[in-house]
Amino acid sequence: RKEVEQDPGPFNVPEGATVAFNCTYSNSASQSFFWYRQDCRKEPKLLMSVYSSGNEDGRFTAQLNRASQYISLLIRDSKLSDSATYLCVVNLHRDDKIIFGKGTRLHILP
Amino acid sequence: EAQVTQNPRYLITVTGKKLTVTCSQNMNHEYMSWYRQDPGLGLRQIYYSMNVEVTDKGDVPEGYKVSRKEKRNFPLILESPSPNQTSLYFCASSTTGGIAYEQYFGPGTRLTVT
């Protein structure tokens, strides 16, 4: 099983819809979780950290399920500007390695 | 402006010709890291550094070297580049060892080795 797995997509979603995607991780010692956003040919940028209790930032909600070892990202009322690749990131504190998923491509359609 | 800079942004070179990609950050971050990004493989960590004079291998360190003589700089060295090192490279930095804090990425260096 890969360390961090994401559905590569692409997800083609009409503007205004709600979209959700998951990311699974294999190492139960993982302790920090993040979602990054990457636009085409640009550097990744932090979208949000993922906290154990779940957290929300505007239209974005992140959840962590330690028992099942996955994190999720929900985008409500999607905008054209949400089109990007979303990267799931896991940090193993044990050795300070940071592991990125391969990303999920999202296309918001007008 | 807080930022991570990389140079060069684009580089085309030939097999075996040593090269260095520079990375510098102005945020006084302890943690710095190099990644490569390839289609279908995502971002993979090459090397990282917790602080000055402390470096560790990531997942794909073969063929690369790094050094951390100053806190702000973390150059990536390819002693003898090969075509399989053609990739998009990102440098990143963060506070607190990157454990729970935001990583700031440089704009990327697109390297082609012929």
Side-chain angles (χ1 to χ4, degrees):
Chain A
R1 183 179 175 183
K2 294 189 176 76
E3 292 194 77
V4 178
E5 287 196 76
Q6 296 182 250
D7 183 337
F11 285 49
N12 297 309
V13 176
E15 191 175 9
T18 296
V19 60
F21 24 84
N22 289 342
C23 163
T24 58
Y25 60 94
S26 61
N27 194 324
S28 58
S30 304
Q31 295 193 32
S32 298
F33 309 89
F34 310 89
W35 285 103
Y36 278 71
R37 171 194 169 126
Q38 186 175 24
D39 295 300
C40 188
R41 298 181 183 275
K42 298 281 192 179
E43 70 272 23
K45 293 185 179 178
L46 181 70
L47 179 64
M48 57 198 302
S49 301
V50 186
Y51 303 125
S52 296
S53 55
N55 47 299
E56 190 173 305
D57 182 2
R59 297 181 294 109
F60 298 85
T61 300
Q63 299 272 358
L64 167 63
N65 185 318
R66 285 193 184 273
S68 301
Q69 295 184 200
Y70 75 86
I71 67 173
S72 63
L73 179 68
L74 179 80
I75 306 174
R76 289 181 298 278
D77 188 23
S78 53
K79 313 290 185 193
L80 295 175
S81 57
D82 294 332
S83 296
T85 296
Y86 290 84
L87 304 170
C88 169
V89 182
V90 172
N91 190 183
L92 301 175
H93 290 196
R94 176 187 70 226
D95 53 11
D96 294 308
K97 279 188 181 175
I98 297 174
I99 302 169
F100 281 75
K102 294 179 183 178
T104 297
R105 284 184 298 147
L106 176 64
H107 298 310
I108 305 300
L109 307 173
Chain B
E1 180 191 353
Q3 60 182 351
V4 178
T5 57
Q6 294 179 228
N7 281 294
R9 294 288 312 280
Y10 301 91
L11 179 60
I12 301 173
T13 190
V14 296
T15 299
K17 187 176 181 182
K18 181 179 178 179
L19 66 91
T20 299
V21 184
T22 64
C23 173
S24 184
Q25 50 93 4
N26 62 1
M27 296 168 279
N28 201 36
H29 285 166
E30 298 85 8
Y31 187 97
M32 296 187 74
S33 182
W34 275 103
Y35 299 88
R36 62 179 287 174
Q37 187 171 36
D38 302 288
L41 297 176
L43 272 158
R44 293 178 292 168
Q45 195 172 37
I46 303 171
Y47 269 96
Y48 61 96
S49 169
M50 294 290 288
N51 215 322
V52 176
E53 302 293 0
V54 180
T55 62
D56 282 290
K57 294 178 181 179
D59 290 321
V60 287
E62 295 77 22
Y64 304 93
K65 286 174 58 177
V66 293
S67 68
R68 189 89 182 274
K69 292 183 169 55
E70 304 166 284
K71 197 172 188 179
R72 64 182 292 126
N73 295 323
F74 191 45
L76 179 70
I77 303 156
L78 284 72
E79 295 270 6
S80 183
S82 61
N84 64 13
Q85 292 179 298
T86 293
S87 187
L88 177 59
Y89 291 86
F90 288 105
C91 179
S93 73
S94 69
T95 59
T96 325
I99 291 175
Y101 289 83
E102 177 178 2
Q103 285 201 82
Y104 292 83
F105 283 81
T109 295
R110 190 166 290 280
L111 171 65
T112 302
V113 183
T114 61

